[in-house]
Amino acid sequence: MKSKLKTTIKNIIGKKTICHLRFSKLIYRKKYSKDNKIIGRIKAFKNTKIYYDKNKGEELKKLFKGIDVITISKDKKFYNNFDFLKVNCFTNSIIDNMCIDYSIILDNSFEDLKKSLNKNDEKFYLTELKTIEGFELLIDRIVEKNKSNKNIVNNLQNMKSKKADSLYEALQRILFINMLLWQTNHKLNGLGRLDLILIKYYKKDIENKTLNENEAKKLIKEFLETLHDFYEMKSSALIGDTGQIIELGGESINGEYLCNELTYLFIELMEELKLPDPKVLLRVSKKTPRSLIEKSLKCIQTGIGCPLFANDDVIIEKLINFGYEKEDAYKYGTSACWEPYIIGKASDPNNIRWLSFMNPLNDLLENEDLNSFTNIQDFIEKYKEYLKKYLDNLINQINNMRFEKDPILSLFIDDCVKSSKDISEGGAKYNNFGLTSVGLANLVNSICNIEEFVFKNKEMSFDEFNKIRKNNFESNEKLLKRLKNSEEKYGKDSDKILELANDLIKYTTDVLKEKRNYLGGRYKFGLSAPSYIDASKNVPASFDGRKEGEPFAVHISSDVSNGYTELVEFASKLSYEENRFNGNVVDFFVSPNFISDNFDKFVDFLMLSIKVGFFEMQMNVVSSKQLIEARKNPEKFPNLVVRVWGFSSYFKDLPDDYKDYLIERALKSEGNS
Amino acid sequence: MKVIVSNIQRFCLHDGPGIRTTVFFKGCNLKCPWCSNPENIDFEVQEYFKDGEKNVYGKEISLENLEKEILKDKDYYEKEGGVTFSGGEPLLQFKNIEPLLKNLKEKDINICVETALTVSTEIIDIAIKYVDEFIIDIKILDENSSYKINGNVEFFYKNIEKLLKNNVNVTFRIPLVPEFTVTEENINKIYDFLKIYKPQKVEIFKIHRLGESKYKSLGKEMMEFKDISDDKILEIKEKIKKLNIEVDYIKI
């Protein structure tokens, strides 16, 4: 009786928390959306049913017993359903924004997974056992509803006791486990290196003539379309932000570039489907064949913003130097955007918080006697003091966070099963937390302008300069223009800018280096972040010529039109050593005609840029004209896709401030601003 | 040594083979009314006003710094790409920049020049020493009307002969301007010229008005031109093709 009461109380608390969390996330999205479907969803959440049990495995089992199971229509090949009105309970943060190793479920049956559990560790054993029993129970329920569909019945039943035997089966297994992740509150679920995982099934089917190439293509096409189902429900911060990334290609530890028929096929299908989601990341290196880059560029030309290129020649070395084992580093994939992530081996929440380089600058400007500075170097040193305070505070906040127990992830992330330890308690092999950063460009440009106007040209005192800034440059349009158009700028490959930027990020490393998270892991950060608009709201004007509330610069970008080689040269000279590899993406706009008129030379550019050494690279292929028209008449451009941060989205679904910023950047890249 | 440059543009894909950095020198001895870079006609730094604000066309730069700028994209040049000197008439600067040309040659940077060849033969001798690719404009070959652009047909022929004797790589470009280059007399002269010199490749292009705002900023007016019909362009293309010369219509 007593324990029942306790459960009820916990149930209520849990229910409240989860409602609160989900509700606030959705309200936040509602603010941006006029879409009735979303408002309807917010209403739906009031009717959400929440499952709780003091044993997490039992709780999941209850959930899988309770969720809606549907009958799949005959013309569909895969079972995939997501009952978002039923959820399990959580009171801590969920570990997500990552990618499990799906090959585990292809090479093992549930029986095999049960066998791998250590019975001596009773608590962990029972939780995981119940979780797997929950999977089996769900399969039974689905089979019951789809009795007449032999393919679905076989593919799902086989999961219980057999390894995957065909491409069809393998794809269904991936979808099944992926679906369970969405069902259990996990967001931003990556898919992993599917070309490498799936090739053996593809080859076998072709050899055995159970499939021909065309049938295989159709199958994978439907797999991708099925992943796209529930697109809006899967989205996190903005519609399209699903983290459903498929990684393709990549160098092996033997120095050989791995790609196969499926690498090409996935890219070809993305080009055909023109969907914003799922997304593709292509790992490239100097050894990537030209034909694969050509194929990728054709896909990029459609404007869907993928593939994103990740440069193995730069990234792998950084991962190893940081402390990831060599063998693991070569198998990296990504978190939801572009943060390198060791697939199936890490808890690494790589987007745990963002840091803004502009926050400490504003604190400094508020609190210090500016006229007491006599040179820029003293000013930079003072800035570093403020940066340290800011980072200390940020890390303290993060270290107060705790993660929810997660029996599903623990099954698919090494070494949780081996050590009988839940991922939330440090069971994973790696537990390093990742920050993203924003505002470095604005900081660097601000410092350059302060030096130029106050210390070098002595046009005005620092105080006067600051007053003008605080007044949002009102009636100082000329000065504002000069600040914006200063000669030395982030993104230009001048030694001075690079030295300053590298000095500031190295200092950030120095502060973070000593810190440990609650799982004992370290902190890393990168120079790109989704928060360039959110982090800049209500932030006062800055010396780089940014007015109050205007967005920060996007990732590693420049506003020089046609300055692609310069930007890549610049990006390749930023220092990504130590812990500075948590996503560093070069981001630019190209007009569609520019690529089609110069296709071969653009392929040259991409291949040479890999050699020059960008870390990651993505682009929007769209003209400002088209964006402006789509802004005015969204109904005429229902399928226009754009790249936003680490994801692509339908332009029409974006909040207005994102739309406007894309237009502004497109105009700048065309030299029209 | 310092030279006056109006722009250094990286990642140019239309000014010769490969990926190139194009250097625009100020100063030209021709006065083509369709010129798309009117800011590069005068040899000196020029003030101009745009939206009520004072600005300048042209900047003095030392050869050392110019070389630095050119080498910034070295990673992208590979075998084919490199630097393109444009203008204005870049050959007019060649005596001044010979040390730079020498350095670039030593560093194995491919050098291309966009010229109308209306310069003294002495300069051509320097150019032959260093330039890998000549992009040569064929404008007015009719002696009776070449004065309209301040041209000098005699110089042109003399220089062409010298170049071709030295077996240099040449691409000819013909701007199609109804009132000037596509007059009956002139276009026939051009065909005759091509017949004799049989270049491997000719590019033809329609002129554009993208430079109009620059004319305005200098207090000048850009002349109005008749539009050339697609049929006429096709006709010219076919005629050149018949001479067994590869011809490209480039859109700018």
Side-chain angles (χ1 to χ4, degrees), chain A residues 101-109 113 344 411-414:
Chain A
D101 182 358
Y102 284 96
S103 70
I104 293 178
I105 196 59
L106 306 187
D107 296 335
N108 294 284
S109 64
L113 291 183
L411 268 181
F412 296 108
I413 301 286
D414 294 350

Side-chain angles (χ1 to χ4, degrees), chain B residues 189-200:
Chain B
K189 289 249 175 189
I190 291 179
Y191 295 142
D192 291 343
F193 168 82
L194 294 176
K195 226 181 277 171
I196 298 167
Y197 289 98
K198 281 260 162 52
Q200 275 187 326

Side-chain angles (χ1 to χ4, degrees), chain B residues 96-119:
Chain B
N96 293 335
I97 65 166
E98 196 172 348
L100 168 69
L101 295 170
K102 208 172 151 218
N103 285 347
L104 293 173
K105 198 84 213 156
E106 274 165 16
K107 294 189 168 106
D108 212 17
I109 304 290
N110 180 294
I111 299 172
C112 174
V113 70
E114 290 183 329
T115 172
L117 285 189
T118 319
V119 295

